Amino acid sequence: MAEVIRAGITRNSLYAMRETGQVEQLARGLYRLAEMPSLSQSDLVTVAVKIPQAVIYLISALSFHELTTQISHEVWIAVPRNSEPPRLNYPPVRVSRLNMAAYGTGIETHHSDGVAIRVYSREKSLVDCFSRRNEVGLDIAIPDIRRRYARGLRNLNQIYLPIVDEAWVLNGSVTPPEVIWRRSDGKEWVGNIEVWKLIQSFEGGNL
């Protein structure tokens, strides 16, 4: 609204343009010309403009990164714990207040329709969804983590291993890490044949 007024358009003129369909209202005080191309992510753009400190969080972040098929009717966001409460009529938002360490870690900036959208990284989003599984639902967290590992195994088999001369595949869930497979000086050694066969045969299905 303030930018429109500075451009010389009065409030009455703006409201008249809205009534005649020349502009569309995205949120209170946020308008765009109706003739412009459709927004690819209109809800996230609105949140980014109206709540500058917001970071797209949990299910909405997974959806942004195409790591879930879950459709949320709210935009999940994180804001600093001591920040002012967000005021937004639409879209509906679910707000989580985080301490500065948790809030400031893993933020990426992406651009959509000329607007900078801040969203947590894939890795942080998966970890956050799992750690807050009681809030987002275990049925959301586990399948999305599985999909993330599925992508990693595809990349391992199809991209990385064919092009490197030396490589190690380790099981980091035990101490010390277990060597599943390694390649060195043109020779390969298998430490756990069952796991290695599973990794090699994986083609993107569920783990």
Side-chain angles (χ1 to χ4, degrees), residues 145-176:
I145 290 171
R146 284 177 173 166
R147 273 188 285 274
R148 180 60 174 168
Y149 277 108
R151 179 178 298 177
L153 287 177
R154 285 198 299 271
N155 291 342
L156 176 70
N157 286 322
Q158 298 174 12
I159 299 176
Y160 302 123
L161 291 182
I163 64 173
V164 297
D165 296 323
E166 296 194 12
W168 293 63
V169 176
L170 303 175
N171 174 11
S173 66
V174 297
T175 303

Side-chain angles (χ1 to χ4, degrees), residues 1 4 9-34 89:
M1 174 74 75
V4 172
I9 300 175
T10 65
R11 291 176 183 267
N12 290 339
S13 296
L14 179 63
Y15 297 151
M17 294 171 66
R18 181 188 62 188
E19 295 302 319
T20 58
Q22 294 176 268
V23 299
E24 59 179 329
Q25 185 171 5
L26 301 180
R28 183 177 180 181
L30 183 62
Y31 299 83
R32 70 191 300 269
L33 291 174
N89 293 329

Side-chain angles (χ1 to χ4, degrees), residues 40-108:
S40 59
Q41 301 191 59
S42 58
D43 287 351
L44 299 190
V45 168
T46 300
V47 169
V49 172
K50 299 296 290 184
I51 313 175
Q53 76 272 30
V55 183
I56 307 304
Y57 188 46
L58 295 177
I59 294 176
S60 294
L62 290 183
S63 179
F64 180 89
H65 292 301
E66 299 181 346
L67 292 174
T68 184
T69 57
Q70 171 77 7
I71 298 175
S72 176
H73 299 291
E74 303 169 296
V75 179
W76 296 57
I77 62 172
V79 298
R81 179 168 292 166
N82 296 323
S83 62
E84 289 290 327
R87 294 181 177 86
L88 186 62
N89 293 329
Y90 188 86
V93 295
R94 180 177 293 197
V95 181
S96 294
R97 295 182 174 278
L98 306 181
N99 62 48
M100 288 307 298
Y103 169 79
T105 301
I107 298 176
E108 299 178 347

